[in-house]
Amino acid sequence: MASKSNLEQSQEQLLNNLRASIAEAEGMLKEASEIGGDKASELRDRAVNALQKATGSFKDVQERAVEQSKEAVRVTDEYVHDNPWRTVGFAALAGVLLGVIIGRK
């Protein structure tokens, strides 16, 4: 079985962190609604902090995904410039295959 890519691992980690943060925030908000006063205010603040932490994690993963996408675009651009005829041939072959598949239906 192939190992997961860094992006997949980051996405999985992000989802786990978001679920945990949301569950923690929900628990704190529920507890805050059951009690009053300073303790409720403290729990609400902690819930907000947990959600802000989850949002920060999301932004980190998003930035990594954007950087990986930019790198993939750069590598693809270099390949196309270094191998223009091979790229044209591949695109033509893909077009013919797609035409055959569509033509059969």
Side-chain angles (χ1 to χ4, degrees), residues 1-3 8 16 19 25 33-34 37 45 50 54 58-59 64-65 73 82 92 96 98-100 104:
M1 184 171 148
S3 64
E8 289 172 332
N16 290 336
R19 286 184 191 117
S33 69
E34 294 170 354
D45 290 343
F58 179 74
K59 287 179 183 178
R64 282 193 299 249
V73 167
D82 292 344
V96 168
L98 185 60
V100 168
R104 286 186 169 186

Side-chain angles (χ1 to χ4, degrees), residues 25-40:
E26 286 175 344
M28 285 185 250
L29 291 172
K30 182 179 177 187
E31 189 177 335
S33 69
E34 294 170 354
I35 60 174
D38 292 337
K39 182 73 172 167

Side-chain angles (χ1 to χ4, degrees), residues 37-103:
D38 292 337
K39 182 73 172 167
S41 179
E42 178 188 335
L43 288 172
R44 280 192 292 271
D45 290 343
R46 286 178 46 204
V48 168
N49 287 337
L51 292 174
Q52 287 175 339
K53 181 180 175 186
T55 303
S57 295
F58 179 74
K59 287 179 183 178
D60 290 343
V61 170
Q62 182 181 17
E63 288 172 5
R64 282 193 299 249
V66 167
E67 289 302 317
Q68 288 178 348
S69 298
K70 287 179 181 179
E71 179 64 16
V73 167
R74 186 189 63 74
V75 168
T76 302
D77 186 55
E78 284 180 12
Y79 179 82
V80 169
H81 281 90
D82 292 344
N83 303 290
W85 290 111
R86 187 179 294 173
T87 305
V88 169
F90 179 73
L93 178 62
V96 168
L97 291 175
L98 185 60
V100 168
I101 291 170
I102 291 173

